[in-house]
Amino acid sequence: MTVLVVLSTDTHSTGTFTMVGSVEIVLLALCVLEAAASNPTWQDVTLKRRQNAEGDIRLVNGSTPLEGRLEVYRDGAWGTVCDDTWDYVPENAQVVCRQLGYRGGEARTNVGWSPYGAGSGSIYRFGCGGRENRLVDCDLVRGGGCAHHEDVGVRCDPQTDGTKRMVDGPTEFEGRLEIWSGIRWGSVCNIGWHPDNAQVVCRELAYSGVTSVDGETDYGQGRGPTWTDDIICNGDEDELANCNFQSNPDRDCSGGDIVGIHCTPYEDGQVRLVGGPSELEGRLEVYHNGQWGVVCNRKVDEDIATVVCRQLGFSGGSHARAHAFGYGHNPVWMDNVRCTGNERKLTRCRLSEFVELGDEICFSWEGMGVRCDP
């Protein structure tokens, strides 16, 4: 077993990690758990740390993990994707980058040759609507000839440094904690992790609390680097960036001690903004009966946005036109809502009772958008 610690401050080597709120962690170590006699690169090593699963995708032959030739794992083997229609169907690349954990992206094609080289194996043709979470959820297009010199490439947009997510859990409330730094996601070493940290993470991800903190055996090791700095929270911070950080470059996290978190599910009536460029704006969704749903945009007034933004901890806001932040694919939970602007929660407004599935009198594409003031 070989442990590789990266000391460079080059962002491609994860030497410096900048959290949201301008908190800088000088040195986060990358624990590599496998090494071969051929001295493989970190990309080669990290791809071996989890078995491939049906529907996995990857970008290969790119200069960074953000770009490369698109390959999809189907029927026990990697194959490529034909570039037909990808130039004028941007939803395809959006789905790919969403599945890989990036913000968005675009297809890379060239007439007569693949921009990242020709692949091998089967060639697939997909057509996406843009709402899918995985490429294999898109339509598999039959027919049409395509050769490997037409393999499509994708270039994705990076997340903001310090963005967090929980992955590989059975529900959206739990999973392995990963934090974005530079150009990739990384796990967090469980050694030195404090229980109050999980409370802050769950709060920042808009969950109501934390149920438990688990280890690597529950959610897997992950493929990216492992951040090893000490993070010390009191438990009442709004985000992890407000906690104290202590550099610990010599920590050996090669034993697979990775932070996993199980958060308490959302509360009925909780609201969120999704599909926007920042936490300040997006499509309004409300949680009810174990599922997120939209609020119908018809006959809406500015007081609704004021109440929603106050509930989210912002100073105020305004509503945006229907489907300004995407159509959404969840049920319609509210319609004809009327607020005075003084309510503390959306569920305190008049005519804000939940409608039942099948009884909606408007469509999800009429969902309300909201823009909040800091």
Side-chain angles (χ1 to χ4, degrees):
M1 178 175 65
T2 301
V3 177
L4 172 64
V5 178
V6 181
L7 300 177
S8 169
T9 57
D10 185 328
T11 56
H12 291 273
S13 302
T14 67
T16 299
F17 177 69
T18 305
M19 296 285 292
V20 174
S22 299
V23 175
E24 290 190 352
I25 307 173
V26 180
L27 188 67
L28 292 166
L30 168 59
C31 299
V32 177
L33 301 184
E34 298 182 38
S38 58
N39 189 27
T41 63
W42 73 265
Q43 290 99 327
D44 297 327
V45 171
T46 54
L47 284 173
K48 296 178 182 176
R49 290 167 61 183
R50 181 176 70 83
Q51 290 186 344
N52 299 314
E54 183 75 9
D56 278 357
I57 59 175
R58 66 184 183 183
L59 302 178
V60 299
N61 279 3
S63 60
T64 76
L66 296 171
E67 60 180 316
R69 183 180 63 249
L70 174 61
E71 296 188 353
V72 57
Y73 193 77
R74 287 176 56 87
D75 300 325
W78 288 101
T80 63
V81 178
C82 183
D83 65 4
D84 288 354
T85 75
W86 282 65
D87 278 334
Y88 52 87
V89 183
E91 290 82 3
N92 294 342
Q94 295 292 328
V95 172
V96 167
C97 294
R98 181 185 305 125
Q99 181 176 346
L100 291 172
Y102 304 128
R103 284 193 302 170
E106 61 182 2
R108 302 293 306 279
T109 62
N110 281 304
V111 177
W113 59 280
S114 174
Y116 298 103
S120 60
S122 299
I123 304 175
Y124 301 98
R125 297 158 59 95
F126 291 97
C128 302
R131 303 178 187 176
E132 299 88 351
N133 290 318
R134 303 200 313 156
L135 182 64
V136 292
D137 295 333
C138 302
D139 293 333
L140 184 61
V141 182
R142 304 291 183 180
C146 200
H148 279 298
H149 68 267
E150 300 172 272
D151 291 340
V152 73
V154 175
R155 181 170 60 190
C156 297
D157 301 323
Q159 294 281 359
T160 302
D161 275 352
T163 300
K164 298 157 199 68
R165 68 177 185 180
M166 292 191 296
V167 296
D168 291 344
T171 71
E172 60 181 313
F173 310 119
E174 57 184 305
R176 182 179 64 257
L177 175 63
E178 293 189 347
I179 302 177
W180 179 269
S181 172
I183 56 173
R184 57 185 178 270
W185 292 99
S187 302
V188 179
C189 187
N190 195 39
I191 302 174
W193 178 263
H194 295 260
D196 289 336
N197 300 357
Q199 182 71 42
V200 177
V201 170
C202 291
R203 180 182 299 115
E204 187 172 355
L205 293 175
Y207 300 118
S208 59
V210 61
T211 301
S212 63
V213 179
D214 308 302
E216 178 270 336
T217 54
D218 293 303
Y219 307 116
Q221 178 71 20
R223 294 185 175 184
T226 299
W227 311 135
T228 62
D229 279 39
D230 284 330
I231 307 174
I232 305 172
C233 302
N234 295 322
D236 56 358
E237 295 88 350
D238 291 330
E239 56 185 45
L240 206 63
N242 295 331
C243 301
N244 293 319
F245 293 86
Q246 297 177 2
S247 179
N248 204 331
D250 298 325
R251 171 167 291 153
D252 181 358
C253 200
S254 59
D257 298 297
I258 302 299
V259 172
I261 298 177
H262 187 168
C263 295
T264 306
Y266 308 101
E267 299 175 351
D268 216 56
Q270 191 167 343
V271 297
R272 69 179 184 182
L273 302 180
V274 299
S278 73
E279 63 177 2
L280 293 171
E281 55 186 320
R283 182 178 63 255
L284 172 60
E285 293 189 351
V286 60
Y287 193 75
H288 173 61
N289 198 26
Q291 188 175 6
W292 287 100
V294 301
V295 177
C296 197
N297 193 58
R298 296 183 301 178
K299 300 180 181 179
V300 75
D301 57 57
E302 296 291 343
D303 289 329
I304 297 177
T306 299
V307 173
V308 167
C309 292
R310 180 184 299 118
Q311 184 174 344
L312 290 171
F314 302 116
S315 60
S318 59
H319 84 270
R321 62 179 175 83
H323 64 76
F325 302 102
Y327 295 133
H329 54 274
N330 295 330
V332 176
W333 279 140
M334 287 185 173
D335 188 23
N336 289 325
V337 180
R338 291 290 181 273
C339 301
T340 65
N342 297 318
E343 297 87 351
R344 297 186 62 85
K345 295 183 177 181
L346 184 63
T347 52
R348 303 283 180 86
C349 295
R350 186 166 56 92
L351 297 178
S352 61
E353 66 272 9
F354 293 105
V355 299
E356 297 300 322
L357 284 174
D359 294 336
E360 307 93 13
I361 55 178
C362 67
F363 300 98
S364 59
W365 53 264
E366 297 179 89
M368 177 181 178
V370 172
R371 291 186 174 92
C372 295
D373 303 321

PDB file of all heavy atoms in Angstrom, residues 4 7 56 71 78 96-97 137 175 204 211 221 251 286 301 330 335:
ATOM      1  N   LEU A   4       0.199   8.636  -0.954  1.00  0.00           N
ATOM      2  CA  LEU A   4       0.754   9.781  -1.672  1.00  0.00           C
ATOM      3  C   LEU A   4       0.211  11.054  -1.059  1.00  0.00           C
ATOM      4  O   LEU A   4      -0.988  11.261  -1.007  1.00  0.00           O
ATOM      5  CB  LEU A   4       0.364   9.719  -3.151  1.00  0.00           C
ATOM      6  CG  LEU A   4       0.723  10.955  -3.986  1.00  0.00           C
ATOM      7  CD1 LEU A   4       2.237  11.118  -4.039  1.00  0.00           C
ATOM      8  CD2 LEU A   4       0.146  10.823  -5.384  1.00  0.00           C
ATOM      9  N   LEU A   7       1.867  18.036  -1.850  1.00  0.00           N
ATOM     10  CA  LEU A   7       2.272  19.243  -1.142  1.00  0.00           C
ATOM     11  C   LEU A   7       2.206  20.486  -2.003  1.00  0.00           C
ATOM     12  O   LEU A   7       2.322  21.592  -1.494  1.00  0.00           O
ATOM     13  CB  LEU A   7       3.703  19.070  -0.614  1.00  0.00           C
ATOM     14  CG  LEU A   7       3.907  17.910   0.361  1.00  0.00           C
ATOM     15  CD1 LEU A   7       5.374  17.812   0.733  1.00  0.00           C
ATOM     16  CD2 LEU A   7       3.059  18.104   1.608  1.00  0.00           C
ATOM     17  N   ASP A  56     -22.622   3.950 -14.924  1.00  0.00           N
ATOM     18  CA  ASP A  56     -21.546   4.890 -14.605  1.00  0.00           C
ATOM     19  C   ASP A  56     -21.066   5.582 -15.884  1.00  0.00           C
ATOM     20  O   ASP A  56     -21.119   5.011 -16.979  1.00  0.00           O
ATOM     21  CB  ASP A  56     -20.360   4.163 -13.964  1.00  0.00           C
ATOM     22  CG  ASP A  56     -20.555   3.929 -12.478  1.00  0.00           C
ATOM     23  OD1 ASP A  56     -21.567   4.378 -11.937  1.00  0.00           O
ATOM     24  OD2 ASP A  56     -19.687   3.268 -11.871  1.00  0.00           O
ATOM     25  N   GLU A  71     -17.573   8.346 -21.851  1.00  0.00           N
ATOM     26  CA  GLU A  71     -17.746   6.906 -21.909  1.00  0.00           C
ATOM     27  C   GLU A  71     -18.791   6.483 -20.889  1.00  0.00           C
ATOM     28  O   GLU A  71     -18.902   7.088 -19.802  1.00  0.00           O
ATOM     29  CB  GLU A  71     -16.423   6.180 -21.659  1.00  0.00           C
ATOM     30  CG  GLU A  71     -15.380   6.457 -22.746  1.00  0.00           C
ATOM     31  CD  GLU A  71     -14.136   5.599 -22.607  1.00  0.00           C
ATOM     32  OE1 GLU A  71     -14.011   4.875 -21.592  1.00  0.00           O
ATOM     33  OE2 GLU A  71     -13.286   5.659 -23.515  1.00  0.00           O
ATOM     34  N   TRP A  78     -17.035  -0.657 -20.836  1.00  0.00           N
ATOM     35  CA  TRP A  78     -17.106   0.757 -21.177  1.00  0.00           C
ATOM     36  C   TRP A  78     -17.309   0.915 -22.682  1.00  0.00           C
ATOM     37  O   TRP A  78     -16.702   0.213 -23.489  1.00  0.00           O
ATOM     38  CB  TRP A  78     -15.813   1.477 -20.766  1.00  0.00           C
ATOM     39  CG  TRP A  78     -15.668   1.655 -19.298  1.00  0.00           C
ATOM     40  CD1 TRP A  78     -14.904   0.903 -18.450  1.00  0.00           C
ATOM     41  CD2 TRP A  78     -16.321   2.638 -18.492  1.00  0.00           C
ATOM     42  NE1 TRP A  78     -15.037   1.367 -17.164  1.00  0.00           N
ATOM     43  CE2 TRP A  78     -15.897   2.428 -17.154  1.00  0.00           C
ATOM     44  CE3 TRP A  78     -17.215   3.668 -18.764  1.00  0.00           C
ATOM     45  CZ2 TRP A  78     -16.349   3.210 -16.097  1.00  0.00           C
ATOM     46  CZ3 TRP A  78     -17.669   4.458 -17.722  1.00  0.00           C
ATOM     47  CH2 TRP A  78     -17.240   4.225 -16.406  1.00  0.00           C
ATOM     48  N   VAL A  96     -25.019  14.855 -18.347  1.00  0.00           N
ATOM     49  CA  VAL A  96     -23.719  14.224 -18.091  1.00  0.00           C
ATOM     50  C   VAL A  96     -23.002  14.928 -16.942  1.00  0.00           C
ATOM     51  O   VAL A  96     -22.515  14.289 -15.999  1.00  0.00           O
ATOM     52  CB  VAL A  96     -22.855  14.238 -19.368  1.00  0.00           C
ATOM     53  CG1 VAL A  96     -21.406  13.884 -19.042  1.00  0.00           C
ATOM     54  CG2 VAL A  96     -23.419  13.276 -20.394  1.00  0.00           C
ATOM     55  N   CYS A  97     -22.920  16.239 -17.012  1.00  0.00           N
ATOM     56  CA  CYS A  97     -22.185  16.983 -15.980  1.00  0.00           C
ATOM     57  C   CYS A  97     -22.903  16.920 -14.642  1.00  0.00           C
ATOM     58  O   CYS A  97     -22.252  16.878 -13.582  1.00  0.00           O
ATOM     59  CB  CYS A  97     -21.991  18.434 -16.438  1.00  0.00           C
ATOM     60  SG  CYS A  97     -20.903  18.586 -17.882  1.00  0.00           S
ATOM     61  N   ASP A 137     -30.738   7.247 -18.005  1.00  0.00           N
ATOM     62  CA  ASP A 137     -32.165   7.546 -17.867  1.00  0.00           C
ATOM     63  C   ASP A 137     -32.720   8.228 -19.109  1.00  0.00           C
ATOM     64  O   ASP A 137     -33.934   8.349 -19.267  1.00  0.00           O
ATOM     65  CB  ASP A 137     -32.412   8.449 -16.651  1.00  0.00           C
ATOM     66  CG  ASP A 137     -32.062   7.758 -15.339  1.00  0.00           C
ATOM     67  OD1 ASP A 137     -32.123   6.520 -15.290  1.00  0.00           O
ATOM     68  OD2 ASP A 137     -31.728   8.472 -14.373  1.00  0.00           O
ATOM     69  N   GLY A 175     -25.150   9.783   3.275  1.00  0.00           N
ATOM     70  CA  GLY A 175     -24.131   9.386   2.322  1.00  0.00           C
ATOM     71  C   GLY A 175     -22.750   9.804   2.766  1.00  0.00           C
ATOM     72  O   GLY A 175     -22.551  10.341   3.870  1.00  0.00           O
ATOM     73  N   GLU A 204     -26.432  23.191   6.728  1.00  0.00           N
ATOM     74  CA  GLU A 204     -26.053  23.877   5.495  1.00  0.00           C
ATOM     75  C   GLU A 204     -26.722  23.258   4.271  1.00  0.00           C
ATOM     76  O   GLU A 204     -27.043  23.958   3.303  1.00  0.00           O
ATOM     77  CB  GLU A 204     -24.532  23.840   5.333  1.00  0.00           C
ATOM     78  CG  GLU A 204     -24.019  24.656   4.169  1.00  0.00           C
ATOM     79  CD  GLU A 204     -22.507  24.771   4.148  1.00  0.00           C
ATOM     80  OE1 GLU A 204     -21.861  24.289   5.106  1.00  0.00           O
ATOM     81  OE2 GLU A 204     -21.973  25.340   3.177  1.00  0.00           O
ATOM     82  N   THR A 211     -28.766  12.627  12.321  1.00  0.00           N
ATOM     83  CA  THR A 211     -29.155  11.392  13.000  1.00  0.00           C
ATOM     84  C   THR A 211     -27.933  10.615  13.465  1.00  0.00           C
ATOM     85  O   THR A 211     -27.879  10.136  14.588  1.00  0.00           O
ATOM     86  CB  THR A 211     -30.006  10.503  12.071  1.00  0.00           C
ATOM     87  OG1 THR A 211     -31.178  11.233  11.685  1.00  0.00           O
ATOM     88  CG2 THR A 211     -30.418   9.219  12.769  1.00  0.00           C
ATOM     89  N   GLN A 221     -15.550   4.183  -0.235  1.00  0.00           N
ATOM     90  CA  GLN A 221     -14.350   5.007  -0.134  1.00  0.00           C
ATOM     91  C   GLN A 221     -14.381   6.205  -1.064  1.00  0.00           C
ATOM     92  O   GLN A 221     -13.797   7.241  -0.784  1.00  0.00           O
ATOM     93  CB  GLN A 221     -13.124   4.135  -0.456  1.00  0.00           C
ATOM     94  CG  GLN A 221     -11.794   4.880  -0.436  1.00  0.00           C
ATOM     95  CD  GLN A 221     -11.368   5.254   0.959  1.00  0.00           C
ATOM     96  OE1 GLN A 221     -11.847   4.671   1.917  1.00  0.00           O
ATOM     97  NE2 GLN A 221     -10.476   6.224   1.087  1.00  0.00           N
ATOM     98  N   ARG A 251      -1.285  13.707   8.470  1.00  0.00           N
ATOM     99  CA  ARG A 251      -2.239  12.672   8.888  1.00  0.00           C
ATOM    100  C   ARG A 251      -2.306  11.568   7.849  1.00  0.00           C
ATOM    101  O   ARG A 251      -2.398  11.806   6.652  1.00  0.00           O
ATOM    102  CB  ARG A 251      -3.621  13.281   9.094  1.00  0.00           C
ATOM    103  CG  ARG A 251      -4.730  12.247   9.325  1.00  0.00           C
ATOM    104  CD  ARG A 251      -5.987  12.894   9.835  1.00  0.00           C
ATOM    105  NE  ARG A 251      -5.776  13.367  11.188  1.00  0.00           N
ATOM    106  CZ  ARG A 251      -6.440  14.396  11.734  1.00  0.00           C
ATOM    107  NH1 ARG A 251      -7.298  15.076  11.007  1.00  0.00           N
ATOM    108  NH2 ARG A 251      -6.207  14.764  12.972  1.00  0.00           N
ATOM    109  N   VAL A 286     -41.613  23.204  -2.104  1.00  0.00           N
ATOM    110  CA  VAL A 286     -42.026  23.022  -0.714  1.00  0.00           C
ATOM    111  C   VAL A 286     -42.108  21.530  -0.433  1.00  0.00           C
ATOM    112  O   VAL A 286     -42.503  20.736  -1.298  1.00  0.00           O
ATOM    113  CB  VAL A 286     -43.373  23.739  -0.444  1.00  0.00           C
ATOM    114  CG1 VAL A 286     -44.469  23.190  -1.346  1.00  0.00           C
ATOM    115  CG2 VAL A 286     -43.767  23.628   1.025  1.00  0.00           C
ATOM    116  N   ASP A 301     -48.229  36.982  -5.833  1.00  0.00           N
ATOM    117  CA  ASP A 301     -47.851  38.352  -5.501  1.00  0.00           C
ATOM    118  C   ASP A 301     -46.490  38.370  -4.819  1.00  0.00           C
ATOM    119  O   ASP A 301     -45.969  37.337  -4.400  1.00  0.00           O
ATOM    120  CB  ASP A 301     -48.915  39.016  -4.613  1.00  0.00           C
ATOM    121  CG  ASP A 301     -49.177  38.232  -3.338  1.00  0.00           C
ATOM    122  OD1 ASP A 301     -48.223  38.002  -2.577  1.00  0.00           O
ATOM    123  OD2 ASP A 301     -50.335  37.855  -3.095  1.00  0.00           O
ATOM    124  N   ASN A 330     -41.518  17.634 -10.199  1.00  0.00           N
ATOM    125  CA  ASN A 330     -42.207  17.208  -8.992  1.00  0.00           C
ATOM    126  C   ASN A 330     -43.665  17.647  -9.028  1.00  0.00           C
ATOM    127  O   ASN A 330     -44.053  18.473  -9.854  1.00  0.00           O
ATOM    128  CB  ASN A 330     -41.506  17.796  -7.766  1.00  0.00           C
ATOM    129  CG  ASN A 330     -40.103  17.248  -7.588  1.00  0.00           C
ATOM    130  OD1 ASN A 330     -39.829  16.119  -7.969  1.00  0.00           O
ATOM    131  ND2 ASN A 330     -39.218  18.043  -7.029  1.00  0.00           N
ATOM    132  N   ASP A 335     -51.320  26.106  -4.604  1.00  0.00           N
ATOM    133  CA  ASP A 335     -51.870  26.977  -5.636  1.00  0.00           C
ATOM    134  C   ASP A 335     -52.713  28.050  -4.950  1.00  0.00           C
ATOM    135  O   ASP A 335     -53.234  27.839  -3.847  1.00  0.00           O
ATOM    136  CB  ASP A 335     -52.723  26.156  -6.617  1.00  0.00           C
ATOM    137  CG  ASP A 335     -53.154  26.967  -7.817  1.00  0.00           C
ATOM    138  OD1 ASP A 335     -52.482  27.970  -8.120  1.00  0.00           O
ATOM    139  OD2 ASP A 335     -54.160  26.600  -8.455  1.00  0.00           O
TER     140      ASP A 335
END
